[in-house]
């Protein structure tokens, strides 16, 4: 079967890889460079998403935890296990019992794919265990584990797998139209496929729209920014933004400190960049918890990406992180999808292509 894929982000590349493995003849069209959009601007976590438990997205969390285990086991060169501290503050929005319950569920959902159970840190050991944190108001802490990736290297590994399985990956080739009859019109001409997969990330609906294809799902475009401090941090931290229910991460990355992220709705065509306000917001959140304050001059890098979230809630923090696959004739469209779950999503696309089910 000849399959044409639109979009060379992690979801398109995993689809190319898995479809090629299943015996399809795959051509992928990327309008720019592979893995240069949302898939290069993540928090670099291979995670189940502890906070999605609050939104009761248990199917997604379970799948993501299994996939976390898969990446860690099969690509150890570009992935690692990360210890994350979840501190409990007296003024926090979530009581200790709620955090404990969430962590117990997280361990449980991971099942045999678990990479280490969470544990509590004794009150008397808080100061010595977390020397970087301000001690005031700290009443307890938990430690749990997630995965971390070198996003660029893991992405290159996936590209290598897709090519080795026989997929043709064409860059600098924008697609102007996809058809329910299996046609793809692109910068170099027009091709007929048995099936087309539109996995253009944040641009999936726009491409369907200009192609005259109606989608049941709509996307919200929610920017997320990170800043990088040129200093080390001893482990990951999952923290509440002061005065909000939102959480943010402080993570070790390449000998530096990665802080993120934000949630700012924007139009698809607005510039995707870390604004001054987001920079100040992330710095203030970091300085609230860490005893050695950071200023603008400590920021060595910053980046932003656009989340393709299925429209589901006004508050982006509560919007579903689930993905959806929609079929219309010979066109399959993919909405949403995390880095961690890209391979699982691709396997569902294979089932859709081969059997029309997912
Ligand atoms: C701030 C932030 C932090 C995140 N952190 C994490 C995390 O820690 N862990 C995790 O698992 N997930 C995380 N995610 C989610 C994850 O990064 C994304 O969901 C995922 O990368 C989306 O991949 P994608 O392939 O769908 O989209 P993209 O990577 O955006 O790829 C879509 C591709 O389609 C191409 N394209 C668009 N239109 C056309 C066209 N007409 N013709 C040809 N090509 C086209 C684009 O150029 C682009 O390359 C995060 C996301 C953000 C924004």
């Amino acid at each position: 079967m000849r399959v044409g894929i639109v979009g060379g982000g992690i979801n398109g590349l995993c689809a190319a890889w898995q479809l090629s493995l299943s015996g399809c003849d795959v051509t992928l069209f990327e309008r720019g460079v592979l893995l240069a959009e949302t898939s290069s601007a993540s928090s670099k976590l291979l995670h189940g998403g502890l906070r999605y438990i609050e939104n009761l997205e248990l199917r997604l969390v379970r799948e993501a935890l299994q996939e976390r285990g898969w990446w860690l086991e099969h690509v150890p060169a570009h992935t690692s296990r990360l210890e994350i501290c979840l501190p409990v503050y007296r003024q926090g929005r979530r009581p200790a019992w709620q955090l404990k319950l969430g962590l117990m569920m997280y361990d449980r959902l991971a099942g045999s794919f678990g990479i280490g159970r969470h544990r509590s840190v004794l009150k008397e050991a808080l100061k010595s265990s977390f020397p970087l944190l301000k001690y005031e108001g700290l009443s307890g802490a938990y430690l749990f584990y997630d995965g971390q990736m070198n996003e660029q290297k893991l992405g290159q590994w996936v590209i290598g797998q897709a090519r080795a399985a026989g997929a043709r990956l064409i860059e600098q080739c924008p697609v102007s139209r996809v058809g329910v009859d299996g046609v793809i019109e692109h910068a170099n001409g027009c091709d007929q496929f048995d099936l087309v997969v539109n996995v253009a990330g944040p641009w999936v609906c726009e491409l369907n729209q200009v192609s005259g294809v109606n989608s049941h799902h709509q996307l919200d475009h929610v920017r997320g920014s990170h800043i990088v401090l040129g200093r080390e941090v001893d482990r990951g931290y999952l923290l509440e933004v002061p005065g909000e229910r939102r959480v943010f991460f402080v993570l070790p990355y390449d000998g530096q400190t990665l802080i993120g992220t934000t949630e700012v709705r924007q139009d698809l065509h607005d510039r995707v960049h870390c604004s001054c306000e987001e920079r100040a917001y992330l710095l203030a959140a970091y300085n609230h918890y860490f005893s050695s304050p950071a200023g603008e001059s400590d920021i060595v890098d910053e980046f932003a990406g656009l989340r393709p979230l299925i429209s589901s809630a006004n508050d982006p923090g509560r919007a579903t992180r689930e993905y959806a696959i929609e079929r219309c004739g010979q066109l399959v469209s993919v909405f949403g999808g995390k880095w961690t779950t890209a391979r699982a999503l691709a396997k569902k696309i294979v089932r859709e292509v081969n059997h029309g089910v997912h």
Side-chain angles (χ1 to χ4, degrees), residues 18-40:
Q18 294 299 319
L19 283 164
S20 298
L21 283 182
S22 80
C24 294
D25 177 9
V26 175
T27 307
L28 180 149
F29 301 92
E30 164 54 47
R31 66 177 177 191
V33 175
L34 297 172
L35 292 171
E37 298 287 351
T38 317
S39 301
S40 63

Side-chain angles (χ1 to χ4, degrees), residues 7 9-11 30-31 38-39 42-43 45 175 202 307 337 339-340:
I10 194 58
N11 285 314
E30 164 54 47
R31 66 177 177 191
T38 317
S39 301
S42 81
S43 302
L45 289 172
V175 168
R307 296 181 185 84
W339 228 108
T340 309

Side-chain angles (χ1 to χ4, degrees), residues 35 39 44 149-157 253 339:
L35 292 171
S39 301
K44 334 291 180 206
M149 59 175 158
N150 183 318
E151 186 185 55
Q152 226 192 343
K153 289 187 177 163
L154 189 58
Q156 289 302 321
W157 182 87
Y253 196 70
W339 228 108

Side-chain angles (χ1 to χ4, degrees), residues 44-56:
K44 334 291 180 206
L45 289 172
L46 294 167
H47 64 157
L50 180 60
R51 74 188 182 86
Y52 309 146
I53 289 181
E54 273 189 341
N55 296 352
L56 294 177

Side-chain angles (χ1 to χ4, degrees), residues 182-194:
V183 159
I184 292 185
E185 288 177 16
H186 52 81
N188 301 337
C190 182
D191 284 310
Q192 175 71 48
F193 294 93
D194 298 312

Side-chain angles (χ1 to χ4, degrees), residues 87 89 127 130-138 284-293:
Y89 283 91
K127 230 177 185 166
F130 309 112
L132 301 183
L133 286 183
K134 290 178 186 167
Y135 191 59
E136 206 186 310
L138 184 62
Y286 172 87
N287 286 335
H288 181 85
Y289 290 103
F290 286 80
S291 48
S292 175

Side-chain angles (χ1 to χ4, degrees), residues 71-87:
W71 291 114
L72 287 170
E73 186 186 337
H74 290 87
V75 203
H78 308 315
T79 64
S80 54
R81 177 177 177 263
L82 177 70
E83 184 180 76
I84 301 178
C85 165
L86 180 59

Side-chain angles (χ1 to χ4, degrees), residues 293-331:
E296 287 274 343
S297 60
D298 296 299
I299 301 177
V300 293
D301 197 7
E302 61 189 31
F303 58 89
L306 207 52
R307 296 181 185 84
L309 301 185
I310 294 177
S311 300
S312 62
N314 281 337
D315 174 3
R318 298 202 75 86
T320 180
R321 262 49 177 182
E322 269 289 5
Y323 54 78
I325 301 172
E326 198 175 289
R327 183 165 187 165
C328 183
Q330 287 161 255
L331 173 67

